[in-house]
mmCIF file with all atom_site columns, all heavy atoms in Angstrom:
data_model
loop_
_atom_site.group_PDB
_atom_site.id
_atom_site.type_symbol
_atom_site.label_atom_id
_atom_site.label_alt_id
_atom_site.label_comp_id
_atom_site.label_asym_id
_atom_site.label_entity_id
_atom_site.label_seq_id
_atom_site.pdbx_PDB_ins_code
_atom_site.Cartn_x
_atom_site.Cartn_y
_atom_site.Cartn_z
_atom_site.occupancy
_atom_site.B_iso_or_equiv
_atom_site.pdbx_formal_charge
_atom_site.auth_seq_id
_atom_site.auth_comp_id
_atom_site.auth_asym_id
_atom_site.auth_atom_id
_atom_site.pdbx_PDB_model_num
ATOM 1  N N   . LEU A 1 119 ? 100.553 104.751 96.101  1.00 97.00 ? 127 LEU A N   1
ATOM 2  C CA  . LEU A 1 119 ? 101.354 105.299 97.193  1.00 97.00 ? 127 LEU A CA  1
ATOM 3  C C   . LEU A 1 119 ? 102.168 104.204 97.866  1.00 97.00 ? 127 LEU A C   1
ATOM 4  O O   . LEU A 1 119 ? 101.621 103.194 98.325  1.00 97.00 ? 127 LEU A O   1
ATOM 5  C CB  . LEU A 1 119 ? 100.453 105.956 98.246  1.00 97.00 ? 127 LEU A CB  1
ATOM 6  C CG  . LEU A 1 119 ? 99.777  107.281 97.872  1.00 97.00 ? 127 LEU A CG  1
ATOM 7  C CD1 . LEU A 1 119 ? 98.939  107.767 99.035  1.00 97.00 ? 127 LEU A CD1 1
ATOM 8  C CD2 . LEU A 1 119 ? 100.817 108.316 97.502  1.00 97.00 ? 127 LEU A CD2 1
ATOM 9  N N   . ALA A 1 120 ? 103.485 104.416 97.955  1.00 97.00 ? 128 ALA A N   1
ATOM 10 C CA  . ALA A 1 120 ? 104.346 103.508 98.691  1.00 97.00 ? 128 ALA A CA  1
ATOM 11 C C   . ALA A 1 120 ? 104.201 103.778 100.183 1.00 97.00 ? 128 ALA A C   1
ATOM 12 O O   . ALA A 1 120 ? 103.684 104.824 100.611 1.00 97.00 ? 128 ALA A O   1
ATOM 13 C CB  . ALA A 1 120 ? 105.792 103.696 98.250  1.00 97.00 ? 128 ALA A CB  1
ATOM 14 N N   . LYS A 1 121 ? 104.647 102.858 100.995 1.00 97.00 ? 129 LYS A N   1
ATOM 15 C CA  . LYS A 1 121 ? 104.594 103.010 102.443 1.00 97.00 ? 129 LYS A CA  1
ATOM 16 C C   . LYS A 1 121 ? 105.280 104.315 102.858 1.00 97.00 ? 129 LYS A C   1
ATOM 17 O O   . LYS A 1 121 ? 106.400 104.597 102.446 1.00 97.00 ? 129 LYS A O   1
ATOM 18 C CB  . LYS A 1 121 ? 105.280 101.815 103.103 1.00 97.00 ? 129 LYS A CB  1
ATOM 19 C CG  . LYS A 1 121 ? 105.272 101.852 104.629 1.00 97.00 ? 129 LYS A CG  1
ATOM 20 C CD  . LYS A 1 121 ? 105.952 100.621 105.199 1.00 97.00 ? 129 LYS A CD  1
ATOM 21 C CE  . LYS A 1 121 ? 105.991 100.679 106.724 1.00 97.00 ? 129 LYS A CE  1
ATOM 22 N NZ  . LYS A 1 121 ? 106.641 99.470  107.317 1.00 97.00 ? 129 LYS A NZ  1
ATOM 23 N N   . GLY A 1 122 ? 104.571 105.143 103.643 1.00 97.00 ? 130 GLY A N   1
ATOM 24 C CA  . GLY A 1 122 ? 105.119 106.408 104.117 1.00 97.00 ? 130 GLY A CA  1
ATOM 25 C C   . GLY A 1 122 ? 104.933 107.574 103.167 1.00 97.00 ? 130 GLY A C   1
ATOM 26 O O   . GLY A 1 122 ? 105.186 108.719 103.536 1.00 97.00 ? 130 GLY A O   1
ATOM 27 N N   . GLN A 1 123 ? 104.466 107.330 101.946 1.00 97.00 ? 131 GLN A N   1
ATOM 28 C CA  . GLN A 1 123 ? 104.319 108.387 100.953 1.00 97.00 ? 131 GLN A CA  1
ATOM 29 C C   . GLN A 1 123 ? 103.021 109.160 101.159 1.00 97.00 ? 131 GLN A C   1
ATOM 30 O O   . GLN A 1 123 ? 101.999 108.593 101.569 1.00 97.00 ? 131 GLN A O   1
ATOM 31 C CB  . GLN A 1 123 ? 104.348 107.787 99.549  1.00 97.00 ? 131 GLN A CB  1
ATOM 32 C CG  . GLN A 1 123 ? 104.377 108.813 98.421  1.00 97.00 ? 131 GLN A CG  1
ATOM 33 C CD  . GLN A 1 123 ? 104.480 108.159 97.050  1.00 97.00 ? 131 GLN A CD  1
ATOM 34 O OE1 . GLN A 1 123 ? 104.527 106.934 96.930  1.00 97.00 ? 131 GLN A OE1 1
ATOM 35 N NE2 . GLN A 1 123 ? 104.502 108.976 96.023  1.00 97.00 ? 131 GLN A NE2 1
ATOM 36 N N   . THR A 1 124 ? 103.058 110.466 100.854 1.00 97.00 ? 132 THR A N   1
ATOM 37 C CA  . THR A 1 124 ? 101.883 111.340 100.983 1.00 97.00 ? 132 THR A CA  1
ATOM 38 C C   . THR A 1 124 ? 101.553 111.962 99.633  1.00 97.00 ? 132 THR A C   1
ATOM 39 O O   . THR A 1 124 ? 102.446 112.321 98.868  1.00 97.00 ? 132 THR A O   1
ATOM 40 C CB  . THR A 1 124 ? 102.150 112.465 102.012 1.00 97.00 ? 132 THR A CB  1
ATOM 41 O OG1 . THR A 1 124 ? 102.412 111.884 103.290 1.00 97.00 ? 132 THR A OG1 1
ATOM 42 C CG2 . THR A 1 124 ? 100.937 113.386 102.133 1.00 97.00 ? 132 THR A CG2 1
ATOM 43 N N   . LEU A 1 125 ? 100.272 112.101 99.363  1.00 95.00 ? 133 LEU A N   1
ATOM 44 C CA  . LEU A 1 125 ? 99.804  112.745 98.132  1.00 95.00 ? 133 LEU A CA  1
ATOM 45 C C   . LEU A 1 125 ? 98.765  113.791 98.496  1.00 95.00 ? 133 LEU A C   1
ATOM 46 O O   . LEU A 1 125 ? 97.902  113.561 99.353  1.00 95.00 ? 133 LEU A O   1
ATOM 47 C CB  . LEU A 1 125 ? 99.184  111.699 97.193  1.00 95.00 ? 133 LEU A CB  1
ATOM 48 C CG  . LEU A 1 125 ? 98.612  112.205 95.862  1.00 95.00 ? 133 LEU A CG  1
ATOM 49 C CD1 . LEU A 1 125 ? 99.717  112.781 94.982  1.00 95.00 ? 133 LEU A CD1 1
ATOM 50 C CD2 . LEU A 1 125 ? 97.896  111.069 95.130  1.00 95.00 ? 133 LEU A CD2 1
ATOM 51 N N   . GLU A 1 126 ? 98.860  114.952 97.850  1.00 93.00 ? 134 GLU A N   1
ATOM 52 C CA  . GLU A 1 126 ? 97.901  116.027 98.081  1.00 93.00 ? 134 GLU A CA  1
ATOM 53 C C   . GLU A 1 126 ? 97.231  116.379 96.766  1.00 93.00 ? 134 GLU A C   1
ATOM 54 O O   . GLU A 1 126 ? 97.909  116.586 95.752  1.00 93.00 ? 134 GLU A O   1
ATOM 55 C CB  . GLU A 1 126 ? 98.611  117.246 98.671  1.00 93.00 ? 134 GLU A CB  1
ATOM 56 C CG  . GLU A 1 126 ? 97.672  118.352 99.100  1.00 93.00 ? 134 GLU A CG  1
ATOM 57 C CD  . GLU A 1 126 ? 98.401  119.434 99.882  1.00 93.00 ? 134 GLU A CD  1
ATOM 58 O OE1 . GLU A 1 126 ? 99.027  120.294 99.241  1.00 93.00 ? 134 GLU A OE1 1
ATOM 59 O OE2 . GLU A 1 126 ? 98.338  119.410 101.124 1.00 93.00 ? 134 GLU A OE2 1
ATOM 60 N N   . ILE A 1 127 ? 95.902  116.477 96.785  1.00 92.00 ? 135 ILE A N   1
ATOM 61 C CA  . ILE A 1 127 ? 95.140  116.718 95.562  1.00 92.00 ? 135 ILE A CA  1
ATOM 62 C C   . ILE A 1 127 ? 94.178  117.884 95.792  1.00 92.00 ? 135 ILE A C   1
ATOM 63 O O   . ILE A 1 127 ? 93.390  117.863 96.746  1.00 92.00 ? 135 ILE A O   1
ATOM 64 C CB  . ILE A 1 127 ? 94.354  115.463 95.149  1.00 92.00 ? 135 ILE A CB  1
ATOM 65 C CG1 . ILE A 1 127 ? 95.326  114.312 94.858  1.00 92.00 ? 135 ILE A CG1 1
ATOM 66 C CG2 . ILE A 1 127 ? 93.481  115.738 93.921  1.00 92.00 ? 135 ILE A CG2 1
ATOM 67 C CD1 . ILE A 1 127 ? 94.651  112.997 94.548  1.00 92.00 ? 135 ILE A CD1 1
#
Side-chain angles (χ1 to χ4, degrees):
L127 288 180
K129 181 179 178 179
Q131 187 177 0
T132 299
L133 179 64
E134 187 171 81
I135 298 175

